[in-house]
Amino acid sequence: MTAIITSAPGKCILFGEHAVVYGHPAVAVAIDQRISIKIQPSASGMWLLDGGKLNMKRNPHIKGLIEKLWPVDQGAPPLSIHIEGNIPRSSGLGSSAALSVALAAALRGARGRWVTHAETVGQNRWAEGFGSLITASDAYGKSGGFFSTIEQDKMFLLTGEESVDTDENAILAHSVEAAAQNGRASPIDSSTCSHGGVIVISNQVQNDLTYLYKRSLKMPDSERFWHIHELELGIVPDDIYLVIGNTGINAPTGKQVAKVAQMLELTPDRMEEIETIGKIAQRGIDALMVGDYEAVGRAMTENQIMLKSIGVSHPQLDVLIKAAAPTCLGAKLTGAGGGGCMIALTRNPKLTSDAIELAGGRTYISKLGSLGLRVEKLSDQTFWSRS
Ligand code: MEV
């Protein structure tokens, strides 16, 4: 049977989690661990997930993407979705963003994209879709992908890999992440899992980095915006690795983000700690740009002190970080905290990994900045298309 297969990496935040929700700079790298999604038309006439009935309530990211990309009320048929991969869930490694990016790409591949004038390029050519340059669509609202008023005979359906766009996958993944986190989510996970490599997010344009696009989101307290950039690492020494240590403790991101929001509401002075995290992140960015990994490690360790101070670490994270310290350049929790994973930047991945395992963590080893979204297999025909 025809199938579409896509995959996306998980991510580790090197600096700036939580502070990024308030606009401060943060850096994330795509990791070697990935999620792969396979979709096929459902032979049973029902939505299926891994062979069983898809429970939309328990899978809000999938539900949100279906609503935005696969209009059942317009006759889009039910699909069978299959998920595989080695990114542990609710552990700070971006499993929901990777799933959302890969599914958004698969659904787009399954319907193709209507485009207009052949002589224009990229999003300027789209007649439908969601992207940073498309002001007529509201990826964060309920309005659906825009559809240009151009006559049907002046458009054609673009299919295959060309119809898939990393910006669109990232913006859609951000919108469903924001919905799942009660309206508070930065685009760091979604952009990193879509574009891969090293992503820097900040409320200011950072010189010397490759500019990608701007995102904004209305949050419960105010509207936030972020500039998203790519950081080219240059030549990373062969012996530099990230060792990821999983505590095995589930820590839903939304709960941790809400905890920080509540702390700031009750004691607004503590915004100073959030600002300090932003400053440390900026130092980390500077160190990464000149390839000074000792300084990168030091900034990570300082970042952890602040994360602990705002109350998002966990005793088991502290145990794993302490165990890694003697053999690494720097270590900290990664993602929302409260459980989940820590990371250690190290020149001795085996020694660091053994130390973390001995302290009770399950480890994964990754290089810094893996490939982003990949379309692994596309069908020659769309499964459904808007007409
Ligand atoms: C989660 O990976 C990172 C947080 O900063 C939340 C977010 O940026 O949306 C904790």
Side-chain angles (χ1 to χ4, degrees), residues 11 13 16-18 20-21 92 181 184-186 188-189 253 257 335-336:
K11 66 94 214 340
I13 298 184
E17 49 272 270
H18 288 290
V20 70
V21 175
Q181 288 175 211
R184 284 183 211 276
S186 82
I188 191 140
D189 291 19
T253 303
V257 171

Side-chain angles (χ1 to χ4, degrees), residues 261-282:
Q262 199 184 24
M263 173 195 90
L264 292 171
E265 225 172 86
L266 291 175
T267 43
D269 290 1
R270 299 198 67 180
M271 192 51 103
E272 239 177 71
E273 287 156 85
I274 299 287
E275 280 159 16
T276 304
I277 293 178
K279 286 183 191 141
I280 295 170
Q282 192 58 57

Side-chain angles (χ1 to χ4, degrees), residues 183-216:
R184 284 183 211 276
S186 82
I188 191 140
D189 291 19
S190 45
S191 289
T192 308
C193 296
S194 194
H195 296 276
V198 183
I199 294 292
V200 173
I201 296 200
S202 171
N203 57 4
Q204 281 164 19
V205 175
Q206 301 254 345
N207 295 324
D208 306 324
L209 300 179
T210 308
Y211 191 78
L212 290 177
Y213 44 72
K214 186 179 167 184
R215 291 270 192 268
S216 60

Side-chain angles (χ1 to χ4, degrees), residues 15 50 59 76 85 103 118 122 130 165 174-175 243 271 290 297 300 303 328 331 359:
F15 308 105
D50 293 329
N59 294 280
L103 182 60
F130 303 86
D165 180 271
H174 184 216
S175 85
V243 177
M271 192 51 103
V290 295
M300 285 169 66
N303 193 161
C328 74

